[in-house]
Amino acid sequence: MTTATAPNVTATAECRDADLLDERKKQVHRAGQGPIDMACNRESLAGAVSQRACVFCGSRVVLYPIADALHLVHGPIGCAAYTWDIRGALSSGPELHRLSFSTDLQEKDVIFGGEKKLAAALDELIDLHQPKAAFVYSTCIVGLIGDDLGAVCRKMSEKKGIPVIPVQSEGFKGNKREGYLAACKAMFQLVGTAPTDDVSPLSVNILGDFNLAGEIWIVRGYLERMGIQVVANITGDGRVDDIRRCHGAALNLVQCSGSTMDLAKMMKEKYGTAHLRVSYLGIEDMADSLYAVAEHFESVDPGIVERTRDLVREELAALMPRLRDIRRDLSGKRAAIYVGGSFKAFSLIKAFRHIGMNVVLVGSQTGTQEEYQELETVCDPGTVIIDDANPLELSHYVRELDVDVFVGGVKERPIAHKLGVGFCDHNHERKIALAGFEGMYNFAREVHASVMSPVWRFVPRRARRAAVPAGADA
């Protein structure tokens, strides 16, 4: 056995990176090894089985949690089935969003058009469910046959007396990020259509949180303890009437910047509404977000900063002792992260450091050049940063970097399990809240249970590593 030196490790890494397809090399970077110049937001490489979704899926996941709206997919039944109930978005009231409706276009509709079928579906569904609004999603086939969604929606809106809004989300128009923009444009048609007489000067909208496992309720609880009114949840546990009057709020808090930053910019331009980029995951980012909100409103309410300090102190006093034993067990373990939006990765890296783990692989589906450049500054040297990865690339780096736990979504879970690696679900389907100080403990406990499970004693990778002394290379 010989001790591996840093140059040899680097040379091996460069050799393995050379195995990437030429078209993919600009979308993979190792932190600290030259200037980062990622090729982002490009079309997925044909045949590479990208982890991304289409424009339609991007729009659907953003709008879906608006709980008292009707969501009708104009297209083949497969599109509606693919996106049905794909977010664990909880509602404190109506649950119309949990139903998935489709016009189920067939061959005859492709030939003769589907507008009559769409009008009939809206007529029946609106009468049956009495929604506050209806969103009609365009799919690839609708874009090809040329159905005029806008005209059908306008006529139905006049007939039924509710907003019927077309979502121009044909899947072939781009990638998931384009779907976010289509969703924001659709929502913006609701903004500014209701009075704001009861909105406080200390008020916010929560953008980009989808209330997975009830997380938005945790964040709302913190804000209310600070003395702040939450006008609208956009879109988790969302309500149409709240979105219609959300322009009256003094500040937009944008959590998932990829999905709802476009809406924040539209509101800034038309209504002058300020916005802050925030994160609710992990100790540092949750506290920093609350302090940023308090500082924004300090001129209106000077006591809000002290109330926020008391809140953070109280939460940390309860949390930190609970993390000590977890950190002792996890210290030095390795983590991989692959998420939808790169902004989540910042918070996850910090959260892993609080429990003693090192992030060696981080990637996203929809990150931008600026976000990846900022991400490199918080990564350790040698960390692999990857954009729009495919399963083969993720498997390759998980093995090479000897990862202990993989944080990802439903498409990454099989990769981790097949490679004998612990998995932590950070995607739409999870049932455990990870936001806020309470969520930080849930996250740490889930990672600990995954990494320390005795099942890994029976995995060949673990057995090989146990036989090699630390710092040695077989």
Side-chain angles (χ1 to χ4, degrees):
M1 294 191 181
T2 59
T3 302
T5 62
N8 288 338
V9 172
T10 303
T12 302
E14 288 174 352
C15 178
R16 290 172 179 170
D17 288 347
D19 295 335
L20 291 166
L21 294 172
D22 289 340
E23 298 92 334
R24 289 284 305 148
K25 288 179 180 178
K26 289 283 286 181
Q27 289 174 274
V28 180
H29 175 78
R30 289 184 187 256
Q33 296 183 13
I36 182 168
D37 183 23
M38 299 281 283
C40 313
N41 204 27
R42 58 163 55 171
E43 297 304 311
S44 297
L45 181 63
V49 195
S50 167
Q51 303 295 89
R52 275 188 192 152
C54 66
V55 176
F56 160 70
C57 183
S59 67
R60 179 89 152 120
V61 298
V62 172
L63 294 173
Y64 161 77
I66 302 175
D68 56 354
L70 176 76
H71 300 271
L72 174 62
V73 179
H74 187 38
I77 193 64
C79 294
Y82 171 56
T83 57
W84 173 65
D85 208 21
I86 55 175
R87 284 198 184 276
L90 302 184
S91 171
S92 57
E95 294 197 336
L96 183 55
H97 68 304
R98 300 298 297 276
L99 302 178
S100 189
F101 300 105
S102 171
T103 52
D104 187 21
L105 294 182
Q106 303 290 319
E107 289 181 7
K108 181 174 136 183
D109 305 309
V110 173
I111 296 169
F112 296 105
E115 292 181 14
K116 289 183 179 179
K117 195 171 190 178
L118 172 60
L122 284 168
D123 203 0
E124 178 183 348
L125 290 170
I126 292 172
D127 287 347
L128 182 62
H129 294 283
Q130 296 295 305
K132 292 286 188 177
F135 293 101
V136 182
Y137 302 82
S138 179
T139 56
C140 288
I141 195 66
V142 172
L144 291 173
I145 66 178
D147 279 358
D148 191 344
L149 247 66
V152 175
C153 290
R154 281 192 299 272
K155 290 178 183 176
M156 197 54 58
S157 185
E158 293 169 3
K159 181 178 179 180
K160 299 299 182 182
I162 65 168
V164 180
I165 302 171
V167 185
Q168 301 296 342
S169 53
E170 296 87 348
F172 56 73
K173 288 167 62 174
N175 57 41
K176 189 176 181 182
R177 198 176 187 93
E178 294 296 320
Y180 297 158
L181 177 59
C184 289
K185 287 180 176 178
M187 277 189 289
F188 195 59
Q189 295 183 47
L190 291 173
V191 177
T193 59
T196 59
D197 303 336
D198 61 341
V199 176
S200 164
L202 269 70
S203 55
V204 300
N205 298 313
I206 299 178
L207 275 64
D209 190 286
F210 303 107
N211 204 35
L212 309 183
E215 290 180 336
I216 211 166
W217 300 330
I218 295 173
V219 176
R220 283 184 68 118
Y222 296 152
L223 294 169
E224 287 164 5
R225 284 163 64 184
M226 292 165 59
I228 292 173
Q229 177 190 7
V230 178
V231 178
N233 304 327
I234 304 173
T235 59
D237 197 20
R239 302 290 183 272
V240 170
D241 287 344
D242 290 340
I243 296 173
R244 295 179 67 179
R245 69 190 187 108
C246 72
H247 61 295
L251 180 65
N252 282 327
L253 303 181
V254 185
Q255 203 267 74
C256 182
S257 59
S259 64
T260 52
M261 182 57 82
D262 289 315
L263 179 62
K265 290 177 179 177
M266 293 174 195
M267 292 179 66
K268 172 69 174 176
E269 182 177 346
K270 185 168 182 178
Y271 302 105
T273 311
H275 61 261
L276 291 175
R277 250 190 5 167
V278 296
S279 173
Y280 311 130
L281 178 69
I283 296 170
E284 293 172 328
D285 285 353
M286 184 70 253
D288 287 345
S289 296
L290 295 180
Y291 286 135
V293 174
E295 290 169 6
H296 180 86
F297 287 113
E298 187 175 12
S299 60
V300 181
D301 179 3
I304 192 172
V305 174
E306 189 56 38
R307 289 198 301 273
T308 305
R309 288 195 187 112
D310 291 342
L311 185 159
V312 172
R313 275 195 292 262
E314 181 182 331
E315 294 293 333
L316 291 182
L319 171 63
M320 297 309 288
R322 304 170 79 187
L323 294 181
R324 286 189 192 122
D325 290 342
I326 292 175
R327 181 182 174 89
R328 184 188 62 239
D329 290 340
L330 296 179
S331 183
K333 304 288 188 184
R334 299 179 177 189
I337 299 169
Y338 190 75
V339 288
S342 61
F343 197 59
K344 300 174 192 173
F346 291 84
S347 299
L348 282 166
I349 291 171
K350 296 174 188 176
F352 272 119
R353 284 177 180 156
H354 272 291
I355 55 177
M357 294 186 67
N358 304 315
V359 174
V360 293
L361 169 66
V362 58
S364 79
Q365 296 175 4
T366 58
T368 65
Q369 172 78 299
E370 295 75 18
E371 288 169 341
Y372 285 128
Q373 288 174 344
E374 188 177 348
L375 186 62
E376 187 187 32
T377 65
V378 299
C379 289
D380 293 327
T383 301
V384 174
I385 302 172
I386 189 166
D387 174 73
D388 188 27
N390 60 60
L392 283 177
E393 290 169 351
L394 290 174
S395 300
H396 167 84
Y397 286 116
V398 166
R399 285 195 301 265
E400 176 198 321
L401 301 169
D402 200 17
V403 167
D404 294 283
V405 68
F406 194 168
V407 177
V410 64
K411 289 179 280 189
E412 290 76 52
R413 183 187 289 114
I415 297 172
H417 288 169
K418 288 177 180 178
L419 295 176
V421 172
F423 182 79
C424 178
D425 189 358
H426 195 270
N427 207 37
H428 314 148
E429 302 84 4
R430 58 185 162 84
K431 307 302 179 188
I432 300 174
L434 303 182
F437 302 104
E438 173 186 331
M440 177 64 199
Y441 177 67
N442 292 339
F443 174 74
R445 186 175 59 177
E446 183 175 349
V447 170
H448 182 270
S450 298
V451 173
M452 304 305 295
S453 172
V455 72
W456 306 128
R457 292 200 300 258
F458 303 99
V459 177
R461 181 183 72 88
R462 299 287 168 180
R464 284 198 305 270
R465 195 166 93 178
V468 179
D473 188 16

